[in-house]
Amino acid sequence: MRNLINILDLSVEELDELIAVADDILEDPDKYREVCKSKILATLFYEPSTRTRLSFESAMLSLGGQVLGFSEASSSSAAKGESVADTIAIVSGYADIIAMRHPKEGAPLVAARHARVPIINAGDGGHYHPTQTLADLLTIHHEKGRFDHLTIGLCGDLKFGRTVHSLIEAMSRYEGVKFVLISPEELKLPSFVKQEYIKDKKIPYVQSTSLDEVIGTLDILYMTRVQKERFFNEEDYVRLKDSYILTTEKMKLAREDMIVMHPLPRVNEISTAVDDDPRACYFRQTYYGKLMRMALIMKLLDLKV
Ligand code: NCD
């Protein structure tokens, strides 16, 4: 049985297949309307979410399947002290596939050991978020037309930003990729990502605290929110939250063909005036997320049209 815990659980060829399916869905969604008829997706969200949960549910409904689940730990038996292992063992009897978000790193991996159906990691603490990366990859495919020879700037909370970790892992497999890591000292990329996916693979990278200095070198600028919920104290969050704000002024320093991505939700880090810039892709990115989740559900359930 296949799970998606880490983006590297999928080979480059499998990612290409998912992209091809997502493109086909985009072209002819009607064809996919009944692929998951009589299948049930459970969304177990122990942590808040709008996009990811709704996009999973919308994906399953668009495939003709059904959905059940909970959107906060307090409304599940976790509030009574039930373990993830027990919850998963039970939900395995109620659903054909499970998407799970949890504040603890590694929880979806534990879940996969106790599940009788495929588990999808929909975000585990400050660790990974592979299905956001699927959305990011389809966005890059559509907007840039390639995955190789790209200079990718990642800006903001690189420490706790799980979408950043998964995206670096995924992009580290393509030739000619460079990373530009833009963050305050305190929010630098953790070594579990930097060592294994950048240094050990000898991928060129630049580290900077200034967005202005490097923005002109980028093909992609991936902005992120400072992850308030992972801070131990409010003071640090307040001091760091507005470290980078992308404005129309700053966009003038960027290349004409640079794209701006963001996993959303946005807080202050991109001024709303940037939304009208054709280089801003973050709203399109959310739709691509749904298409890739449809393709992923089909793959893990081994269903074809
Ligand atoms: C991201 C997440 O949950 O990590 N959101 C999302 O799934 N689109 C990013 C974030 O919360 O900042």
Side-chain angles (χ1 to χ4, degrees), residues 154-158 181-185 187-189 208-209 244:
L154 301 126
C155 177
D157 189 345
L158 309 189
L181 309 172
I182 311 147
S183 75
E185 267 309 301
L187 299 178
K188 282 199 324 216
L189 191 69
S208 176
T209 53
Y244 304 99

Side-chain angles (χ1 to χ4, degrees), residues 81-130:
E82 184 171 65
S83 69
V84 164
D86 284 4
T87 305
I88 290 293
I90 291 150
V91 177
S92 287
Y94 297 160
D96 301 285
I97 184 164
I98 298 173
M100 174 189 176
R101 169 170 288 190
H102 201 282
K104 273 213 187 95
E105 289 81 6
L109 187 62
V110 173
R113 292 198 187 115
H114 296 272
R116 300 186 303 278
V117 300
I119 297 283
I120 302 172
N121 177 7
D124 62 326
H127 218 182
Y128 296 120
H129 192 347

Side-chain angles (χ1 to χ4, degrees), residues 182 208-217 244-245 250 253:
I182 311 147
S208 176
T209 53
S210 161
L211 177 57
D212 294 27
E213 276 173 24
V214 294
I215 193 168
T217 66
Y244 304 99
I245 300 179
K250 279 201 189 11
L253 305 172

Side-chain angles (χ1 to χ4, degrees), residues 51-52 101 129 132 162-163 225 227 263-265:
R51 249 154 314 278
T52 305
R101 169 170 288 190
H129 192 347
Q132 179 60 46
R162 56 194 175 193
T163 64
R225 168 181 76 89
Q227 305 281 298
L264 303 180

